[in-house]
Amino acid sequence: MSTPTLDKHSSALDAAEVTGTHLIAITLRVRRFNPEVSAEAEWVDYQIQVDPKERVLDALHKVKWEIDGSLTFRRSCAHGVCGSDAMRINGKNRLACKTLIKDVSPEKPITVEAIKGMTVLKDLVVDMDPFFQAYRDVMPFLITTGNEPTRERLQSAADRERFDDTTKCILCAACTSSCPVFWNDGQYFGPAAIVNAHRFIFDSRDEGGEQRLEILNDKDGVWRCRTTFNCTDACPRGIEVTKAIQEVKRALITRRF
Amino acid sequence: MPAGTLYRGREGMWSWVAHRVTGVLIFFFLFVHVLDTALVRVSPEDYDKVVATYKTPVVGLLEYGLVAAILFHALNGLRIIAVDYWTKGPRYQKQMFWSVMGLWILLMLGAIYPVLGHAARDLFGS
Amino acid sequence: MQFHTYDTVIVGAGGAGMRAAIEATKRSRTAVLTKLYPTRSHTGAAQGGMAAALANVEEDNWEWHTFDTIKGGDYLVDQDAAEILAKEAIDAVLDLEKMGLPFNRTPEGRIDQRRFGGHTRNHGEAAVRRSCYAADRTGHMILQTLYQNCVKEGVEFFNEFYVLDQLLTEVDGVRRSAGVVAYELATGEIHVFQAKAVIYASGGTGKFFKVTSNAHTLTGDGQAAVYRRGLPLEDMEFFQFHPTGIWRMGILLTEGARGEGGILRNKDGERFMEKYAPVMKDLASRDVVSRAIYTEIREGRGCGPEGDHVYLDLTHLPPEQLDAKLPDITEFARTYLGIEPYTDPIPIQPTAHYAMGGIPTNVQGEVLSDNTTVVPGLYAAGEVACVSVHGANRLGTNSLLDINVFGRRSGIAAADYAHASDLVPLPENPTEKVEAQIERLRNSTGDERVAELRLELQECMDANVMVFRTEQTIKTAVEKIGELRERYLNVSIQDKGRRFNTDLLEAVELGNLLDLAEVMAVSALARKESRGGHYREDFPTRDDVNFMRHTMAYREVDANGAESIRLDYKPVVQTRYQPMERKY
Amino acid sequence: MATEVSPKDAVELTSSSASYSPDNPAPLIEPPRARTRRTPRSTRTNFELYGWLFMRLSGVVLVVLVIGHLLIQLVLDGGVTKVGFAFVAGRWASPFWQYWDLAMLWLAMLHGGNGLRTIINDYAEQPNTRVWLKTILFTAVAFTIALGSLVIFTFDPNIR
Ligand SMILES: Cc1cc2nc3c(=O)[nH]c(=O)nc-3n(C[C@H](O)[C@H](O)[C@H](O)COP(=O)(O)OP(=O)(O)OC[C@H]3O[C@@H](n4cnc5c(N)ncnc54)[C@H](O)[C@@H]3O)c2cc1C
Ligand code: HEM
Ligand code: SF4
Ligand code: F3S
Ligand code: FES
């Protein structure tokens, strides 16, 4: 449920299974940009042999390690928990390390490009600073007043469950860079910042909810969301992002009335 | 905007695109519609002349399109409102979208005769 | 080239680095240099939990925890440090909770706890619920919570800065830390950070194995930087192999899965751990379970056509429990194996997981230049360091604890030191070494490729210095590494640019891996006994007479510039617990 | 293994772009308007909140009004063929229909106007363009509402 919906089962994969080979030939079509070479981005095709059960990240590595070392992308954990490698694969935002080749129609060229709406620095690497700036703007930390308890603060299992979904965020930016409103002008806080505000607004231990709501009441805050659900579809952690945004909107409305 | 492939969004994104397009269409139609209706205040003859053009087959077809736009916008608008106010709305948005489409097609089929009927009669005589 | 001056510089923004930064920023002008955006650090991959004898769900105390840690480490643990670890664990967990960490809760609203390998009540009587957790994303929550608090405290981060060299200056006959040299990924520029105190928190070095739970970026940069400057590395032969990595991929499936009741089975469906550890069964300590798995495989009871794995069986657990307690790992099985853990067992094999060894420090996090001497101004914490609280084998959940306890301690100690001392003058031409290294790689026209050498290294390490080792295999590895080091002099890279030249940095990282792999193999060769994570088939028992001591490896360069490794030993600190036979 | 590299749609290296080098990099590919450290400035009003609420409330009411209107105009009683001056005159003889149409006019124009304002905010890049477009929009909406209201209330069935 949390992996983005997959494309149809591949016929190339079936063929590979029948003939008993592990590897299939794929074309990786990467949108490359290197400011040290040219001001224009260009599509470059790479023909490689991969196991369809491998990840798109493995295919990128194959290109980098065997064909062209200058291909540049971020990655670290390789299993979808660090949020380094959000990119647009076949036109949709995904983590390269959580997308298996067999799930992206390998019989056709697989397109890979940088996420939208952010400054492309090189190949698949974008400038993440504005994204983290929006995150910092919502005060993403527990705010409490009064004396600290000597032991832990108590919290019922139900109160803990209330914000569980939004604690899963790995700040990969797949959501924000899939949002059509964000592409327009980049001023919108973006779903990721709202998700992280939600995580605290609905934490029973937190006392800074009012301030965060006030920040998101901004003209570039939650009201810019047009419920297009691209964020929810893109989130590799299966967070119901639009639902979180909706809950923040409703909190703002009920706070007013 | 950095060129690249089109973002392959799903129901949510395309319904929003359609909602936006239909909203703008309706707005401009409404603008014109108020102007033409204003003629009743000035010159009933001219008004009837304008309305007569509404009854031609071509405009009839456009009218059908307008109904399509309004109905889609209205139904999808209700879906958006459900997403916003009904706790389970976001989870069922896709189902609601397909319900909207289903209802919309039904209504549009139902509208064929009332809206296009007279145009057909004009064209093919009856 | 750019110069910066700070009181405290922290290398690494994982759990240890950020815990230190929160303390250091409050007390001194602090910069955190990290080669990844902080939230990309591998602490975020940790799943199972963090141990502390809170006694929230059943009777427990920190002395039992100390004992388990020492026994788990096969008595190579420095017991004074283990005591601190277990004692301060309680506050470390409570601190995190107060910072906002969303732990799972008991019905009374307290932090919930669960069982974990090697954690027992009353010195081994039965498993105890000691691990504080947040589903199977405890590390993620720790990393996020610490980052959130860094944002709150206004910690200054230098993201995507690779620290490549440690600067030491001799003042009054004592080598002191003067600062670090870093490479900025975005621009290719070299930066010198002069600082009164430097804390290394740059994490592990698992990437010299092929099947590993470690991230691509865990290449031991910190260990290598310090080691190349002549400082020792401690206990590098001890590397932990986690029993349950996803077959062939190495992605970790937490021990918490067995803590929740998961069972290991061989191809006959037999619960084989009953044979190897009658009391703790599947929850025996990791080295024991990993060896058991390989024994089953070797004796022909492995699963699959090639008989090269066993199963982790969760099918008897109710789906609701899996969803609530192990959501991420069940998803890994679905995503990467296409397996439904509700109904099918998951194929697993041991995976290289954790470096027990590292930069030797005392309990304040001060780095040692020999068995006792402190390098003024130099600190280390987290997986990069060896305090040594983990001895020969780390207990599950003790590392998240380690990074918090010793991250905090070193942050405070470093900032206090920075307050009390002056800047140490930089050595002449501080960037010389890094510049030469970068230029050599960039201009090299050799015909060796980084990826090829790295793969050969990884395959050699997997084959020869994994769970089972012998004189023969280790020697093979040492030779092979020597050969690879020769060939490394001939590597060239394709990307000659300055911006985001990850091609170049992968080459640099490979150099670090080669150095550390060699230290590991040479240290392992000399330890002719079996203890914890280090198992020698030719010496299958523990030898407390000759080897109850820490290995200290030094890099030596002779007059001709030839490098070699010198091994020395350091006594183990024993306070209360006498070594006993280790049984689970 | 195939290791063919075939640059597709490769750009022609013009003399100017061919001179880019590590020391003289090309400009980066920027998004249209990037968020900066200074944005957003908090607006401290509830305007967007009310706007959002209004869209939904007016939407619900409009469903009834507009669909009803469509039914009467296009479906019932012979559809569009019946429409003419006489039909309008007949309908506006009753205040109920006067107020129906008035409400529809106001709500639809304000709803559509606010919708268009959102769209202008989304797509207009220059602050200047934004101001101009919004001025035009505002004028058009105000004019239409005023004209429509005037027509409904001053309608004279005996004008003929
Ligand atoms: C899959 C997995 C699961 C685990 N589960 C558990 C568990 O359940 N319980 C438990 O107790 N332990 C667990 N561990 C172990 C524990 O998570 C790690 O040992 C611990 O998180 C290490 O933290 P750290 O801060 O030392 O390093 P890391 O979190 O690895 O951080 C390293 C930091 O150093 C930076 N860095 C590295 N090199 C450089 C350089 N050259 N220049 C600048 N910066 C650099 C990186 O950017 C990063 O920020 C697990 C480990 C793994 C791999
Ligand atoms: C018939 C009933 C109608 C309903 C239920 C309805 C509902 C809605 C809703 C809920 C929105 C808000 C969408 C969002 O915030 O994302 C909206 C937007 C809009 N509506 Fe309507 N509406 C109706 C009629 C109209 C009419 C008659 C017009 C034209 C005058 C119109 C023009 C617009 C426009 C231009 C938008 C903005 C679209 C956007 O921002 O993407 N609507 N509508
Ligand atoms: S909400 Fe999901 S998609 Fe967005 S940043 Fe967080 S994890 Fe990524
Ligand atoms: S994609 Fe954007 S419009 Fe809203 S629902 Fe998600 S934030
Ligand atoms: S590499 Fe960590 S999320 Fe993909």
Side-chain angles (χ1 to χ4, degrees):
Chain A
M1 135 147 200
S2 43
T3 3
T5 326
L6 306 171
D7 300 341
K8 288 275 153 349
H9 193 72
S10 135
S11 53
L13 177 61
D14 295 339
E17 260 162 28
V18 171
T19 53
T21 57
H22 284 305
L23 302 184
I24 58 169
I26 61 161
T27 304
L28 206 61
R29 180 168 291 171
V30 187
R31 189 162 176 82
R32 301 207 49 186
F33 167 67
N34 184 348
E36 296 177 349
V37 177
S38 158
E40 307 288 328
E42 60 176 12
W43 289 101
V44 182
D45 279 8
Y46 299 96
Q47 263 84 40
I48 50 173
Q49 304 274 329
V50 293
D51 182 333
K53 290 197 216 57
E54 283 182 304
R55 302 158 262 208
V56 172
L57 180 65
D58 297 317
L60 286 169
H61 270 146
K62 210 159 199 157
V63 172
K64 182 172 182 65
W65 292 343
E66 293 170 12
I67 303 175
D68 186 349
S70 69
L71 179 66
T72 305
F73 49 91
R74 293 190 177 105
R75 50 86 180 110
S76 180
C77 71
H79 64 287
V81 296
C82 76
S84 299
D85 57 347
M87 49 188 80
R88 200 143 42 112
I89 300 171
N90 280 359
K92 289 182 196 181
N93 281 4
R94 300 156 178 270
L95 295 180
C97 64
K98 247 192 136 174
T99 308
L100 302 195
I101 299 284
K102 69 184 171 65
D103 298 326
V104 285
S105 328
E107 60 279 359
K108 286 181 286 188
I110 299 169
T111 63
V112 181
E113 58 200 306
I115 46 179
K116 246 172 119 122
M118 289 153 154
T119 307
V120 182
L121 301 174
K122 184 174 171 186
D123 293 347
L124 305 172
V125 175
V126 298
D127 180 6
M128 295 291 285
D129 282 351
F131 173 81
F132 278 100
Q133 186 60 47
Y135 167 79
R136 285 192 290 268
D137 283 342
V138 302
M139 302 201 294
F141 38 79
L142 194 75
I143 297 173
T144 56
T145 54
N147 292 333
E148 298 241 301
T150 45
R151 284 181 63 90
E152 70 260 42
R153 287 168 209 282
L154 298 185
Q155 180 171 52
S156 73
D159 282 346
R160 165 66 180 77
E161 185 57 29
R162 179 69 189 85
F163 62 100
D164 184 62
D165 203 33
T166 42
T167 60
K168 296 187 297 200
C169 177
I170 52 175
L171 297 169
C172 67
C175 54
T176 296
S177 62
S178 76
C179 176
V181 179
F182 181 79
W183 302 330
N184 287 329
D185 64 1
Q187 303 296 298
Y188 174 38
F189 270 84
I194 301 173
V195 159
N196 283 281
H198 177 282
R199 179 245 171 277
F200 288 100
I201 293 170
F202 293 95
D203 187 336
S204 59
R205 301 168 296 174
D206 183 77
E207 293 164 33
E210 271 297 308
Q211 296 168 59
R212 287 191 200 91
L213 286 174
E214 193 47 55
I215 291 170
L216 290 177
N217 196 19
D218 187 271
K219 70 173 167 22
D220 290 314
V222 280
W223 306 119
R224 287 201 73 178
C225 168
R226 306 250 75 80
T227 50
T228 66
F229 285 95
N230 277 3
C231 50
T232 306
D233 289 336
C235 179
R237 300 287 283 169
I239 299 172
E240 292 184 88
V241 183
T242 312
K243 182 160 185 267
I245 298 174
Q246 173 237 40
E247 287 174 355
V248 173
K249 284 176 181 164
R250 288 203 307 194
L252 268 162
I253 300 273
T254 43
R255 184 186 74 132
R256 272 303 296 153
F257 295 98
Chain B
M1 184 162 305
T5 58
L6 197 63
Y7 194 85
R8 280 181 50 197
R10 294 172 53 92
E11 292 88 338
M13 181 172 116
W14 294 115
S15 69
W16 162 75
V17 170
H19 193 82
R20 196 158 252 201
V21 171
T22 53
V24 174
L25 278 179
I26 304 167
F27 181 82
F28 285 115
F29 164 76
L30 183 64
F31 185 64
V32 175
H33 187 50
V34 171
L35 289 184
D36 68 49
T37 308
L39 285 176
V40 295
R41 181 74 189 78
V42 190
S43 152
E45 291 73 28
D46 287 338
Y47 178 74
D48 277 340
K49 249 184 253 160
V50 172
V51 171
T53 59
Y54 282 9
K55 297 171 187 170
T56 65
V58 179
V59 180
L61 217 61
L62 287 178
E63 219 153 55
Y64 190 68
L66 180 73
V67 171
I70 292 181
L71 278 179
F72 175 82
H73 190 95
L75 291 173
N76 192 54
L78 292 176
R79 166 179 159 272
I80 296 173
I81 294 170
V83 166
D84 286 327
Y85 288 103
W86 176 38
T87 327
K88 292 197 177 131
R91 193 165 298 165
Y92 293 113
Q93 60 101 1
K94 284 180 190 167
Q95 287 90 327
M96 288 197 296
F97 172 76
W98 290 112
S99 312
V100 163
M101 290 313 283
L103 202 58
W104 180 74
I105 289 175
L106 277 182
L107 288 175
M108 287 317 289
L109 288 177
I112 291 180
Y113 179 74
V115 179
L116 291 179
H118 73 94
R121 283 189 297 277
D122 272 10
L123 273 183
F124 308 114
S126 67
Chain C
M1 197 213 307
Q2 290 189 30
F3 276 98
H4 312 258
T5 311
Y6 283 89
D7 289 335
T8 311
V9 160
I10 300 175
V11 182
M18 292 205 283
R19 189 68 189 82
I22 289 171
E23 301 300 333
T25 298
K26 288 181 191 156
R27 296 170 169 83
S28 67
R29 231 184 120 238
T30 303
V32 181
L33 277 52
T34 168
K35 75 176 182 184
L36 305 169
Y37 276 85
T39 53
R40 318 277 184 244
S41 302
H42 210 53
T43 295
Q47 302 166 352
M50 169 166 168
L54 295 182
N56 273 2
V57 283
E58 58 183 313
E59 189 190 354
D60 196 5
N61 65 54
W62 63 263
E63 284 173 293
W64 295 349
H65 186 184
T66 312
F67 171 77
D68 290 337
T69 303
I70 292 166
K71 176 181 169 194
D74 226 345
Y75 297 92
L76 196 72
V77 173
D78 284 336
Q79 300 191 3
D80 54 340
E83 240 171 72
I84 290 174
L85 183 81
K87 232 193 276 185
E88 293 186 7
I90 296 164
D91 277 332
V93 168
L94 296 181
D95 279 352
L96 283 172
E97 197 282 333
K98 286 173 199 163
M99 287 184 200
L101 198 141
F103 283 109
N104 277 39
R105 300 285 172 159
T106 65
E108 301 79 48
R110 309 213 88 99
I111 295 170
D112 197 11
Q113 299 186 278
R114 66 172 163 212
R115 296 191 183 92
F116 233 81
H119 289 282
T120 67
R121 52 176 290 114
N122 200 8
H123 313 102
E125 267 174 19
V128 75
R129 294 172 57 165
R130 187 179 287 147
S131 157
C132 310
Y133 67 100
D136 53 359
R137 337 187 157 97
T138 318
H140 164 76
M141 300 298 189
I142 290 181
L143 191 70
Q144 295 288 329
T145 303
L146 290 175
Y147 183 59
Q148 289 156 2
N149 280 273
C150 284
V151 170
K152 187 176 183 180
E153 300 292 340
V155 172
E156 214 176 317
F157 285 105
F158 289 81
N159 294 330
E160 308 199 325
F161 274 60
Y162 285 64
V163 170
L164 298 184
D165 194 14
Q166 165 65 34
L167 298 175
L168 295 168
T169 309
E170 202 167 301
V171 182
D172 304 332
V174 184
R175 270 194 306 170
R176 295 166 179 272
S177 167
V180 295
V181 183
Y183 175 95
E184 183 181 359
L185 183 62
T187 58
E189 229 177 322
I190 291 176
H191 297 247
V192 175
F193 286 80
Q194 191 179 18
K196 296 174 185 171
V198 172
I199 307 176
Y200 278 89
S202 52
T205 173
K207 220 46 205 181
F208 46 47
F209 289 100
K210 190 165 172 221
V211 176
T212 173
S213 65
N214 282 201
H216 284 287
T217 44
L218 287 179
T219 51
D221 303 357
Q223 291 92 322
V226 167
Y227 170 70
R228 292 217 186 102
R229 286 293 180 184
L231 298 177
L233 294 177
E234 182 176 343
D235 286 344
M236 289 297 282
E237 65 271 38
F238 294 104
F239 205 93
Q240 178 168 81
F241 301 93
H242 192 292
T244 53
I246 289 183
W247 175 48
R248 289 200 172 142
M249 304 183 92
I251 297 171
L252 195 78
L253 301 178
T254 174
E255 197 164 300
R258 282 168 285 140
E260 294 293 336
I263 293 172
L264 295 173
R265 297 189 190 280
N266 60 21
K267 76 166 190 217
D268 307 320
E270 179 195 3
R271 182 177 193 179
F272 58 84
M273 278 315 295
E274 284 172 339
K275 291 183 293 196
Y276 301 88
V279 179
M280 293 296 283
K281 301 196 181 82
D282 299 279
L283 283 177
S285 89
R286 289 178 180 172
D287 54 325
V288 175
V289 182
S290 287
R291 278 197 295 279
I293 292 174
Y294 271 125
T295 307
E296 290 295 304
I297 290 175
R298 284 180 166 194
E299 291 173 2
R301 290 187 294 278
C303 310
E306 285 159 54
D308 59 352
H309 58 273
V310 298
Y311 285 132
L312 172 63
D313 184 2
L314 304 174
T315 54
H316 54 292
L317 301 176
E320 310 80 66
Q321 187 184 353
L322 294 183
D323 290 346
K325 303 290 182 67
L326 303 166
D328 276 4
I329 66 152
T330 44
E331 198 198 308
F332 292 154
R334 287 182 200 122
T335 309
Y336 295 110
L337 294 166
I339 276 179
E340 177 46 69
Y342 294 161
T343 52
D344 294 311
I346 309 168
I348 55 104
Q349 94 189 75
T351 178
H353 186 54
Y354 183 88
M356 267 76 72
I359 304 172
T361 70
N362 62 21
V363 293
Q364 309 305 339
E366 293 169 297
V367 172
L368 305 174
S369 62
D370 57 33
N371 289 0
T372 49
T373 319
V374 162
V375 183
L378 194 58
Y379 298 78
E383 193 168 337
V384 71
C386 177
V387 185
S388 130
V389 284
H390 306 307
N393 170 60
R394 169 177 74 87
L395 284 192
T397 67
N398 263 359
S399 172
L400 291 179
L401 179 56
D402 173 11
I403 61 178
N404 278 289
V405 167
F406 291 101
R408 175 172 166 278
R409 279 178 158 253
S410 62
I412 296 174
D416 286 350
Y417 173 86
H419 249 292
S421 38
D422 297 321
L423 282 171
V424 173
L426 290 171
E428 235 173 87
N429 212 345
T431 56
E432 192 179 17
K433 218 174 114 185
V434 172
E435 259 162 16
Q437 182 186 17
I438 303 264
E439 283 317 305
R440 188 182 67 73
L441 286 169
R442 201 181 262 137
N443 300 331
S444 164
T445 50
D447 52 5
E448 295 286 356
R449 300 209 54 168
V450 172
E452 216 166 286
L453 296 193
R454 184 174 45 213
L455 188 64
E456 284 185 37
L457 171 69
Q458 291 170 338
E459 283 176 348
C460 158
M461 295 294 278
D462 270 15
N464 298 310
V465 267
M466 258 278 230
V467 173
F468 291 109
R469 304 166 175 179
T470 67
E471 173 116 18
Q472 192 50 51
T473 63
I474 304 175
K475 273 192 174 150
T476 314
V478 173
E479 261 168 47
K480 177 77 188 178
I481 297 167
E483 176 210 317
L484 291 172
R485 282 169 59 97
E486 281 295 310
R487 287 167 58 192
Y488 178 70
L489 298 175
N490 255 328
V491 289
S492 64
I493 55 171
Q494 285 168 295
D495 193 341
K496 311 281 185 194
R498 282 200 233 294
R499 286 164 180 266
F500 286 95
N501 194 338
T502 50
D503 203 19
L504 171 74
L505 283 153
E506 282 192 25
V508 172
E509 289 169 341
L510 174 63
N512 297 342
L513 288 178
L514 283 168
D515 278 8
L516 298 176
E518 186 171 41
V519 175
M520 173 169 190
V522 168
S523 305
L525 192 59
R527 189 173 280 275
K528 296 183 185 340
E529 64 156 350
S530 291
R531 183 189 293 272
H534 172 72
Y535 189 84
R536 291 278 300 257
E537 288 181 271
D538 38 358
F539 301 96
T541 51
R542 197 170 80 196
D543 176 359
D544 287 343
V545 180
N546 295 308
F547 289 103
M548 178 57 95
R549 53 186 193 178
H550 300 290
T551 309
M552 301 285 272
Y554 296 81
R555 174 172 178 267
E556 301 272 306
V557 185
D558 68 14
N560 305 325
E563 289 177 36
S564 62
I565 297 171
R566 175 171 65 87
L567 294 185
D568 193 4
Y569 292 93
K570 185 173 99 170
V572 175
V573 181
Q574 286 181 8
T575 54
R576 273 197 272 182
Y577 299 100
Q578 288 307 307
M580 292 187 301
E581 198 199 343
R582 192 154 151 268
K583 264 202 190 131
Y584 282 98
Chain D
M1 202 193 78
T3 56
E4 241 172 87
V5 185
S6 57
K8 276 208 63 175
D9 316 331
V11 258
E12 281 285 300
L13 289 187
T14 59
S15 54
S16 72
S17 74
S19 68
Y20 291 122
S21 74
D23 297 311
N24 174 33
L28 300 172
I29 301 180
E30 294 279 358
R33 272 180 293 158
R35 189 190 180 90
T36 63
R37 222 165 251 279
R38 268 166 285 111
T39 58
R41 285 140 297 169
S42 177
T43 44
R44 290 262 159 205
T45 67
N46 287 315
F47 187 74
E48 295 294 338
L49 184 156
Y50 290 127
W52 185 88
L53 255 185
F54 171 75
M55 289 307 270
R56 271 128 257 264
L57 296 176
S58 59
V60 176
V61 181
L62 276 171
V63 172
V64 180
L65 297 179
V66 173
I67 308 270
H69 182 76
L70 285 181
L71 277 177
I72 293 161
Q73 299 286 318
L74 301 180
V75 181
L76 301 178
D77 207 10
V80 78
T81 42
K82 66 172 181 274
V83 177
F85 182 79
F87 177 73
V88 177
R91 229 161 47 93
W92 282 351
S94 135
F96 175 78
W97 291 115
Q98 273 188 321
Y99 280 106
W100 178 292
D101 283 2
L102 187 74
M104 192 166 69
L105 171 73
W106 277 72
L107 286 178
M109 277 326 280
L110 290 176
H111 175 103
N114 189 41
L116 247 75
R117 185 186 65 88
T118 314
I119 296 176
I120 293 171
N121 278 343
D122 275 358
Y123 298 124
E125 296 202 1
Q126 307 295 326
N128 262 339
T129 333
R130 278 193 193 202
V131 171
W132 273 111
L133 287 174
K134 280 195 217 167
T135 314
I136 295 171
L137 174 70
F138 181 79
T139 322
V141 170
F143 170 74
T144 319
I145 291 180
L147 178 69
S149 309
L150 195 80
V151 170
I152 293 172
F153 283 117
T154 63
F155 177 68
D156 174 6
N158 304 319
I159 188 172
R160 242 198 257 249

